[in-house]
Amino acid sequence: MIDIYLCDDDEQICRRVREALEKKILMEEYDMRTECSAGSAEELLGSLKEKRPNIYFLDVELGEGHWDGFRLGREIRRRDPGGILVYLTGYKDLAFRTFEYHLEAFDYIVKRPERLESDISRVLEAIQERLIRQRHSPDQVYTLRVGNTLRHIPVEEILFFETASRPHHVLLHTRTGRIDFAGNLGEIERELGERFFRTHRAYLVALDRIEESDFGRGRLRVGGQECPVARSARGRLARTLRAQGRSTGRDCTA
């Protein structure tokens, strides 16, 4: 599920935008939810979770001195590089300001009371279309946070993810090593889409990195390492491999 964060210092506008978002999400059954509707940049930033990427609806003209919507967008980009930014503004010609802050805004919504709900509906539809395209054509890098550092790992280098022994941590295995980071395997599975398969509650495997499968023993060889296949996942995995034109016998080679 994708979280939506909203920030507008006008309480009435904030309420109307949230209501419009939740109405559209309910009608279309989007896999989204409004996680936070904040009246200030500090409130929004304080509520941000590790989960990403998120969707952000930000008021441009925040009356907070240091903060405006563009400075807030820059801080969000630092924490959530793949986040989708939508700006709410009382003016039409503010797109050029995004270049000053090196931001990519998905869209602008002008605060016209008679069109606010329809504009939000339109933008949310466009975002949903982008998300669907991304699921079918995943990004070429997977971004994760290790401490205060963002790491960008080429997807083609990833072998599999494994639940770590530390609570709420995941091990990412690549061709050259492994990375321990805070994460959730279910969220990673949803983010990366169909190129990866949940073979076991604790393993998420890159399908195109499977070298051998032994369903009798419930094992795969992935990048020279063994990964388990839960009994409940064997049939689905075998069908997936057959659909890709690959053998599912003991010595199946990619």
Side-chain angles (χ1 to χ4, degrees):
M1 180 172 290
I2 297 175
D3 289 340
I4 298 176
Y5 289 78
L6 165 64
C7 186
D8 196 305
D9 61 352
D10 185 320
E11 184 176 345
Q12 183 178 3
I13 291 291
C14 198
R15 177 179 52 79
R16 289 194 60 191
V17 172
R18 179 165 190 151
E19 289 174 353
L21 288 168
E22 293 179 346
K23 178 179 178 180
K24 183 66 174 179
I25 290 168
L26 181 64
M27 288 177 57
E28 303 294 342
E29 297 184 339
Y30 291 155
D31 190 23
M32 304 174 184
R33 67 182 177 191
T34 308
E35 174 65 23
C36 171
S37 54
S40 69
E42 286 86 355
E43 183 182 354
L44 183 145
L45 294 172
S47 70
L48 273 182
K49 300 177 181 178
E50 286 296 323
K51 179 182 175 184
R52 62 181 189 279
N54 303 307
I55 301 169
Y56 304 88
F57 284 77
L58 307 177
D59 180 24
V60 170
E61 302 88 24
L62 291 174
E64 295 187 65
H66 169 73
W67 289 106
D68 63 15
F70 298 114
R71 289 191 175 90
L72 176 56
R74 184 166 61 183
E75 177 61 21
I76 287 170
R77 275 278 179 263
R78 189 181 70 81
R79 302 187 187 194
D80 183 2
I84 296 174
L85 303 180
V86 178
Y87 280 107
L88 307 166
T89 178
Y91 305 95
K92 294 182 179 180
D93 302 319
L94 283 173
F96 74 93
R97 292 284 309 279
T98 60
F99 293 103
E100 295 180 29
Y101 292 91
H102 306 286
L103 295 170
E104 177 197 356
F106 183 85
D107 208 340
Y108 283 79
I109 295 175
V110 179
K111 298 178 187 179
R112 293 169 290 197
E114 72 280 6
R115 294 190 53 178
L116 189 60
E117 182 175 329
S118 62
D119 284 345
I120 288 171
S121 176
R122 169 186 57 79
V123 169
L124 215 54
E125 286 175 5
I127 291 173
Q128 175 70 1
E129 289 174 5
R130 172 191 274 195
L131 294 172
I132 290 172
R133 288 196 303 270
Q134 287 177 344
R135 291 190 189 108
H136 288 87
S137 301
D139 290 339
Q140 297 304 303
V141 297
Y142 177 71
T143 301
L144 56 90
R145 183 184 295 276
V146 180
N148 293 322
T149 303
L150 288 177
R151 298 280 303 276
H152 305 285
I153 311 300
V155 172
E156 64 180 13
E157 295 291 326
I158 298 173
L159 301 176
F160 60 92
F161 296 86
E162 172 190 4
T163 300
S165 57
R166 282 203 294 169
H168 312 299
H169 274 249
V170 172
L171 296 176
L172 185 159
H173 294 259
T174 71
R175 294 171 176 175
T176 57
R178 69 181 191 177
I179 302 169
D180 184 330
F181 68 102
N184 177 280
L185 213 57
E187 293 177 1
I188 296 169
E189 180 183 9
R190 289 189 290 273
E191 184 176 348
L192 289 175
E194 297 177 354
R195 291 175 63 179
F196 287 75
F197 192 95
R198 190 76 171 267
T199 65
H200 183 276
R201 62 182 176 82
Y203 284 79
L204 179 66
V205 172
L207 284 166
D208 59 358
R209 294 293 174 258
I210 296 175
E211 298 162 337
E212 294 181 2
S213 60
D214 184 345
F215 291 113
R217 292 177 56 238
R219 295 285 168 181
L220 299 174
R221 193 177 76 183
V222 184
Q225 303 183 58
E226 278 201 346
C227 296
V229 185
R231 189 176 298 277
S232 60
R234 293 175 194 176
R236 289 186 296 110
L237 179 56
R239 290 191 294 272
T240 299
L241 293 176
R242 282 198 295 268
Q244 295 180 347
R246 298 168 61 178
S247 169
T248 58
R250 170 165 183 150
D251 295 319
C252 118
T253 55

